[in-house]
Amino acid sequence: MTADPSAVAAAHQVLAHLGVTVADLQAHPSARAALPTVAEYLPRVLAAAGPGARRTYGTYWERMAATWPDRPLDGVAASDIEALKQVMMASAVSRRNSRNGRHAGEHVVAAARAFYTRAIADGLIDASASPAHRVAKPRRLPSTRRALTTNELEEINAEARTSGNDVVLDALVLRTETACRCGGALALRLVDLDTINGLVRLTEKGATVRW
């Protein structure tokens, strides 16, 4: 809605009489609604996040709230997030498939971006004011995954046919060669089996359904 020119002119006259400029109003803390702190805003982020986001980013969100509990959303700088990224990378648990904490660093930045994306969507800050989006993610290294060898595949099939609660079903799941995730196999129901066409309906990550 366009402001009435006469009203704008009257407002300028009042400001001039008071010796105050529009920039003074914007810069003065009392002229803006107080932003929530990181700790205060965290419950809203968690409530709006899906199960996958909470599982992946929840630990990092909690760490942000513990590190900057009393800082308002606009009181966190890009360098603060960069510093937290370095701390999390250095303290990442070392495993056989570790990449020197790169995944932890990537998750810190992604979690911070998701956190501030919610604040932007709520109209609390401008998109250009997000410190998380000014921090670069660690460059992702090429995957170390490889195909199973013939011997490894034989061992897996032998184990499936000789152990477990339902060896026949386990062997069939492997034999169908669906390339499904574990969750897809565990979610199978009798109604998902198309015995006429020899198909299996899989419900997998992200509620993706495929035959």
Side-chain angles (χ1 to χ4, degrees):
M1 180 172 141
T2 303
D4 183 356
S6 60
V8 173
H12 278 293
Q13 288 180 352
V14 172
L15 291 176
H17 178 72
L18 296 173
V20 177
T21 66
V22 175
D24 293 331
L25 293 176
Q26 292 174 335
H28 199 281
S30 62
R32 298 178 297 170
L35 289 175
T37 65
V38 174
E40 290 171 342
Y41 191 59
L42 177 60
R44 292 169 63 179
V45 175
L46 290 171
R54 288 196 298 270
R55 182 173 58 253
T56 303
Y57 301 142
T59 299
Y60 302 98
W61 288 335
E62 295 287 351
R63 185 62 178 268
M64 289 169 59
T67 304
W68 312 304
D70 301 322
R71 291 202 202 178
L73 295 180
D74 61 352
V76 178
S79 57
D80 295 322
I81 297 175
E82 184 73 46
L84 180 61
K85 181 184 77 171
Q86 297 299 333
V87 169
M88 297 300 286
M89 289 176 66
S91 61
V93 177
S94 179
R95 298 187 176 91
R96 288 183 61 188
N97 62 344
S98 294
R99 311 298 290 274
N100 296 322
R102 280 178 174 269
H103 292 294
E106 184 177 341
H107 284 158
V108 168
V109 178
R113 288 181 180 180
F115 188 94
Y116 275 93
T117 295
R118 174 54 50 191
I120 292 169
D122 284 342
L124 296 175
I125 64 171
D126 293 330
S128 60
S130 168
H133 292 80
R134 295 195 292 271
V135 178
K137 286 185 178 181
R139 183 175 58 86
R140 182 167 293 186
L141 298 176
S143 175
T144 57
R145 292 183 179 183
R146 60 172 178 78
L148 295 172
T149 65
T150 301
N151 290 338
E152 289 171 337
L153 191 56
E154 289 177 354
E155 290 176 3
I156 291 173
N157 278 280
E159 188 69 19
R161 292 194 300 268
T162 57
S163 64
N165 298 326
D166 192 335
V167 295
V168 175
L169 177 61
D170 292 343
L172 284 173
V173 168
L174 287 175
R175 181 65 189 87
T176 54
E177 299 173 359
T178 60
C180 67
R181 296 171 178 267
C182 292
L186 294 174
L188 276 176
R189 305 163 298 172
L190 288 176
V191 70
D192 295 322
L193 304 178
D194 182 348
T195 56
I196 296 177
N197 297 303
L199 296 173
V200 177
R201 179 171 54 195
L202 298 170
T203 302
E204 299 187 302
K205 184 177 181 180
T208 300
V209 177
R210 64 186 178 90
W211 284 95

